[in-house]
Amino acid sequence: MSPTTKLTPKGAATRQRIIEGAAAEIRERGVAVTTLDDVRARTGTSKSQLFHYFPDGKDRLLLAVARYEADQVLAVQQPQLGGLTSWAAWRRWRDTVVSHYRGRGQHCPLNVLISQLGRVTPGAQAVVSEMLRRWQDEIAAGVRHLQGTGEIGPQLDAERGAAALLAGIQGGVVVMLSTGRIDHLEAALDVGIENLKASGNRA
Amino acid sequence: MSPTTKLTPKGAATRQRIIEGAAAEIRERGVAVTTLDDVRARTGTSKSQLFHYFPDGKDRLLLAVARYEADQVLAVQQPQLGGLTSWAAWRRWRDTVVSHYRGRGQHCPLNVLISQLGRVTPGAQAVVSEMLRRWQDEIAAGVRHLQGTGEIGPQLDAERGAAALLAGIQGGVVVMLSTGRIDHLEAALDVGIENLKASGNRA
């Protein structure tokens, strides 16, 4: 069943319960050992229900869980990410991102799922691409907002600036996952935001 | 046998031949299916030779291959990375990095090995940490050089600036591995270098 198929409200709720249960199971026990039976037991669903919502089996469920975890990546940054309308707001967003990843440590549920699905599979690529697109859109909207108020220079390419900052965040997170150190993430955010500010002073 | 154990020149050459043969085999066929027998066959080494240099088996060999691939990541950026002494040199380095990753596509041998070894294992972390340290040192040296010639502002924290640029590169590469798009890597490098330049104009 594709996510775009119309479900009754009850059906959508059941499907969501399966996805969230699978996500919790995978976070606790790891993706390799989590079976469909584990997910059924945790979510109180029958084999026929699971088959109804995920007829293609575990990989299709994992993809839905990856989409859910990608949504979580953005959700934990809200409402700050969606309201980058002052330098104080950018600062709060920066602190939210850093404290989220500091708290999570070297575990990233989305990264685990994408690795399991295969990074270059079309499904995994679509999930990551869509998440990055939405993330970049929010940052670019913040840049444009401060261009509107004159706090960021009008000459700055908002889309490219957002792409660069987003790359810095992704790299900072990857460095943290690989080394346990969070200072690259902090440097990427701090230097990136300072340079946006400086562009306003140059204008 | 640890890498620090003293080897005869011939022993060191044999060990290196095993590592490079394993790296080539893994690049061609993938880490999951490559066996020690494949490596022996490819490198013309006996079981006792392989055991002599890698008594702990495949994981220790994979770690040595990861270290070799990490060295390659830096080597392909040379001599440009080691000589960031003018804006033209920074530009050549930028082009080298982008063209390297564009040519490689969505395959990163080091990432494959680190995933296989387990990102949070001490050995894998040490390999990645050391590579990032050397990479950041080279970028920071370039920043300090241009601070010396007055082309980058003296107020700029070279280490933090290098960390931010390095994070942007890591993120740009990760985005490319996950989506096939290289524009985040380009944005991270271009925006990062432009901001270094702008700091000089502000000084």
Side-chain angles (χ1 to χ4, degrees):
Chain A
M1 177 166 297
S2 94
T4 53
T5 307
K6 278 272 177 283
L7 295 174
T8 63
K10 197 177 159 211
T14 303
R15 184 174 184 278
Q16 189 62 19
R17 193 175 79 236
I18 294 170
I19 291 169
E20 293 184 18
E25 191 76 13
I26 289 167
R27 282 184 181 220
E28 284 170 25
R29 303 184 53 233
V31 68
V33 299
T34 296
T35 66
L36 290 179
D37 283 343
D38 295 330
V39 175
R40 284 203 306 105
R42 182 169 196 131
T43 57
T45 41
S46 66
K47 272 194 181 168
S48 68
Q49 275 180 307
L50 203 62
F51 182 78
H52 177 69
Y53 294 107
F54 300 98
D56 301 325
K58 190 176 173 187
D59 267 16
R60 188 54 63 106
L61 174 58
L62 290 185
L63 195 58
V65 176
R67 197 172 293 116
Y68 169 79
E69 291 290 7
D71 287 342
Q72 296 308 302
V73 167
L74 297 176
V76 297
Q77 299 178 62
Q78 300 297 4
Q80 290 83 5
L81 177 60
L84 297 173
T85 56
S86 69
W87 291 125
W90 280 78
R91 177 80 206 174
R92 284 192 295 271
W93 167 62
R94 176 262 183 228
D95 289 347
T96 300
V97 172
V98 170
S99 99
H100 171 70
Y101 283 103
R102 181 176 281 131
R104 167 155 296 170
Q106 287 182 265
H107 184 67
C108 174
L110 180 60
N111 193 52
V112 165
L113 285 157
I114 296 297
S115 295
Q116 177 72 23
L117 286 163
R119 198 178 284 276
V120 298
T121 55
Q125 287 206 36
V127 168
V128 174
S129 294
E130 195 210 329
M131 176 192 71
L132 294 173
R133 180 72 257 164
R134 288 163 58 197
W135 201 336
Q136 187 168 322
D137 283 348
E138 301 261 34
I139 298 172
V143 171
R144 289 197 192 92
H145 186 95
L146 292 199
Q147 286 183 312
T149 61
E151 282 167 292
I152 290 181
Q155 80 292 349
L156 191 137
D157 181 334
E159 210 54 59
R160 202 180 61 134
L165 187 53
L166 182 59
I169 296 168
Q170 302 310 308
V173 170
V174 163
V175 170
M176 207 208 54
L177 293 176
S178 302
T179 70
R181 289 175 52 187
I182 202 156
D183 47 330
H184 288 82
L185 178 61
E186 293 180 306
L189 280 161
D190 292 341
V191 170
I193 293 172
E194 282 162 24
N195 284 324
L196 291 174
K197 272 189 197 172
S199 81
N201 298 335
R202 282 199 297 280
Chain B
M1 177 167 297
S2 95
T4 53
T5 308
K6 277 273 176 280
L7 294 174
T8 63
K10 196 177 161 212
T14 302
R15 185 175 184 278
Q16 188 62 19
R17 194 175 79 236
I18 294 169
I19 292 169
E20 292 185 17
E25 190 76 14
I26 289 166
R27 281 185 182 219
E28 285 169 25
R29 302 184 53 234
V31 67
V33 300
T34 296
T35 65
L36 290 179
D37 283 342
D38 296 330
V39 174
R40 284 203 307 105
R42 181 169 196 130
T43 57
T45 41
S46 65
K47 271 194 181 168
S48 69
Q49 275 179 308
L50 203 62
F51 182 77
H52 176 68
Y53 294 106
F54 300 98
D56 301 325
K58 189 175 173 188
D59 266 17
R60 188 53 64 105
L61 174 58
L62 289 185
L63 195 58
V65 176
R67 198 173 290 114
Y68 168 79
E69 291 290 6
D71 287 343
Q72 296 308 303
V73 168
L74 297 176
V76 297
Q77 300 177 62
Q78 300 297 2
Q80 291 82 7
L81 176 60
L84 297 173
T85 57
S86 68
W87 290 126
W90 280 78
R91 177 80 205 175
R92 284 192 295 271
W93 167 61
R94 177 264 182 227
D95 289 346
T96 301
V97 172
V98 169
S99 100
H100 171 69
Y101 283 104
R102 180 177 282 132
R104 165 155 296 169
Q106 287 183 263
H107 184 67
C108 173
L110 180 60
N111 192 51
V112 165
L113 285 157
I114 296 298
S115 295
Q116 177 72 23
L117 286 163
R119 198 176 283 277
V120 298
T121 55
Q125 287 206 36
V127 168
V128 174
S129 294
E130 194 209 330
M131 176 191 73
L132 293 174
R133 180 72 256 160
R134 287 163 59 198
W135 201 338
Q136 186 168 324
D137 283 349
E138 301 261 34
I139 298 172
V143 171
R144 287 196 193 92
H145 186 93
L146 292 199
Q147 287 183 312
T149 61
E151 283 167 291
I152 290 181
Q155 79 293 347
L156 191 136
D157 180 334
E159 211 53 60
R160 202 179 61 132
L165 187 52
L166 182 59
I169 296 168
Q170 303 308 309
V173 170
V174 163
V175 169
M176 208 209 55
L177 294 176
S178 302
T179 69
R181 289 175 51 187
I182 202 158
D183 47 328
H184 289 82
L185 178 61
E186 293 180 306
L189 280 161
D190 292 340
V191 169
I193 294 172
E194 283 161 25
N195 284 321
L196 291 174
K197 274 190 195 169
S199 81
N201 298 335
R202 281 200 296 279

